[in-house]
Amino acid sequence: MIMLALSGSARSNGALNAGYICFEALLQAYDAAIQKKRPMWAVQALVTGFLRSTCVFLPFFAFQAYGYLNICVHGDTDELRPWCKAKLPLLYSFIQSHYWGVGFLRYFQVKQLPNFLLASPVLSLAVYSIVHYTKLLHQLFQSTSIHEQIIAIVDGRLVEAYESSDVATVLKSEISTGPHNKKQGNTEVKKRKSVAASAASAASLDSNVSRGRIVGDNKDECPLLVLPFILHLTFMTFTAFFVMHVQVSTRFLSASPPIYWAASRILAPARGGSCKRWGYFVIVYFVAYILLGSLLFPNFYPFT
């Protein structure tokens, strides 16, 4: 949560990372309400997710509040700026629109065609990854119910928590319990062993489920946890193409993991990758992004 909040303080789109926390909270709430029949646990998961998401958005809203107080409330000018009179006074959106010309379809001009060409490789890769993983998720939903997917994910995370706590505690207890303290600690160790056994059993079951129906024996299947990444990338791609200065896409989308998942699939023929020509193109583009970008960006050329 802290790291995502810091990303939001550096870049406004970092606040979108709160969606991952919301997704996790929804999974936990569903598991608590439907599987465990604990509605209060579900409410607790939703409230916790809401508070954590709010913390991720906090740096962005804090800066907007700072701008409003500094310019609209304590400003020196007699006339208020237009954005100060808005129902939702956001300094960020006003600067983007008024000074940089950012807006829906406002960048669709003939003179901007070179910038669209500059952004076309990363946009193409983004669209490819969105389409590819959307198809895989569709196949996943057809073969396995969403309920089973959610339960497997939540149970798998609980097993990981058990393995990192109780199992290790049992092992330490068995080693550290000496002959004099053996009888006193025997009951506690047995309890912990029971928990450890349950965790190990669940881990084995969850591993079988994950490798079987949930992830699938087919290498071209993907788990439900891919969904928030695809939704995030879809929103950013739409925004980059239709709203922003399109050349910014080269760095704006570079923080999205599905971009690299898709690129690795193209480069891996053993996993059904595309022809070598597209693989070479991906490598050349990534290398050129590093080398040319390092030269163009600091010299104020429109590379990113």
Side-chain angles (χ1 to χ4, degrees):
M1 180 192 71
I2 293 174
M3 298 304 294
L4 296 181
L6 289 175
S7 73
S9 65
R11 287 285 178 180
S12 59
N13 56 286
L16 296 176
N17 292 321
Y20 295 102
I21 294 179
C22 293
F23 182 79
E24 182 183 30
L26 290 174
L27 292 182
Q28 293 174 347
Y30 180 91
D31 177 68
I34 305 301
Q35 181 73 2
K36 297 183 173 62
K37 309 297 181 183
R38 300 284 186 132
M40 290 306 299
W41 288 7
V43 173
Q44 182 182 357
L46 292 175
V47 172
T48 303
F50 173 78
L51 293 177
R52 294 174 66 195
S53 300
T54 302
C55 289
V56 175
F57 272 97
L58 195 59
F60 175 78
F61 287 128
F63 187 77
Q64 304 310 306
Y66 167 77
Y68 181 81
L69 293 174
N70 194 39
I71 298 174
C72 301
V73 178
H74 304 299
D76 297 331
T77 57
D78 296 332
E79 185 178 354
L80 289 176
R81 300 292 289 161
W83 66 276
C84 294
K85 304 173 185 177
K87 293 182 178 179
L88 186 61
L90 291 178
L91 171 63
Y92 178 80
S93 59
F94 174 76
I95 291 177
Q96 290 269 323
S97 176
H98 186 73
Y99 293 104
W100 294 345
V102 172
F104 184 66
L105 299 182
R106 290 178 66 177
Y107 214 62
F108 277 58
Q109 304 173 25
V110 176
K111 64 180 181 179
Q112 301 299 345
L113 278 178
N115 287 325
F116 277 91
L117 290 175
L118 183 64
S120 59
V122 71
L123 287 172
S124 301
L125 195 56
V127 171
Y128 170 80
S129 62
I130 292 169
V131 172
H132 174 68
Y133 290 108
T134 299
K135 288 181 179 179
L136 294 185
L137 286 170
H138 178 67
Q139 294 173 6
L140 181 68
F141 294 148
Q142 286 183 326
S143 61
T144 310
S145 68
I146 298 179
H147 174 78
E148 292 179 355
Q149 292 286 325
I150 295 175
I151 300 308
I153 290 171
V154 176
D155 287 348
R157 297 202 169 192
L158 289 175
V159 167
E160 290 177 3
Y162 275 125
E163 288 180 335
S164 63
S165 57
D166 292 284
V167 175
T169 304
V170 170
L171 293 175
K172 289 179 181 178
S173 299
E174 289 181 324
I175 294 172
S176 61
T177 301
H180 299 294
N181 299 327
K182 213 166 189 179
K183 291 183 179 179
Q184 290 128 350
N186 209 24
T187 305
E188 184 64 24
V189 170
K190 283 183 178 179
K191 290 180 181 178
R192 291 177 178 175
K193 277 185 176 179
S194 176
V195 174
S198 300
S201 175
S204 176
L205 176 61
D206 180 73
S207 177
N208 292 333
V209 173
S210 296
R211 293 173 187 172
R213 288 187 301 170
I214 303 304
V215 175
D217 296 327
N218 185 354
K219 293 179 181 180
D220 261 353
E221 290 189 15
C222 63
L224 182 63
L225 287 176
V226 170
L227 180 59
F229 292 94
I230 300 305
L231 293 176
H232 187 204
L233 178 60
T234 301
F235 178 81
M236 291 200 303
T237 303
F238 179 88
T239 303
F241 186 76
F242 291 104
V243 180
M244 297 169 51
H245 292 182
V246 72
Q247 68 269 22
V248 179
S249 303
T250 52
R251 61 175 167 83
F252 184 67
L253 300 178
S254 64
S256 182
I259 292 286
Y260 307 101
W261 299 342
S264 67
R265 182 183 183 278
I266 295 174
L267 292 169
R271 297 175 64 89
S274 304
C275 62
K276 291 184 178 180
R277 179 180 59 186
W278 291 111
Y280 292 142
F281 176 79
V282 169
I283 294 175
V284 169
Y285 175 70
F286 281 174
V287 173
Y289 178 90
I290 297 171
L291 299 179
L292 293 179
S294 300
L295 294 173
L296 296 176
F297 183 73
N299 289 287
F300 303 101
Y301 285 97
F303 183 74
T304 61

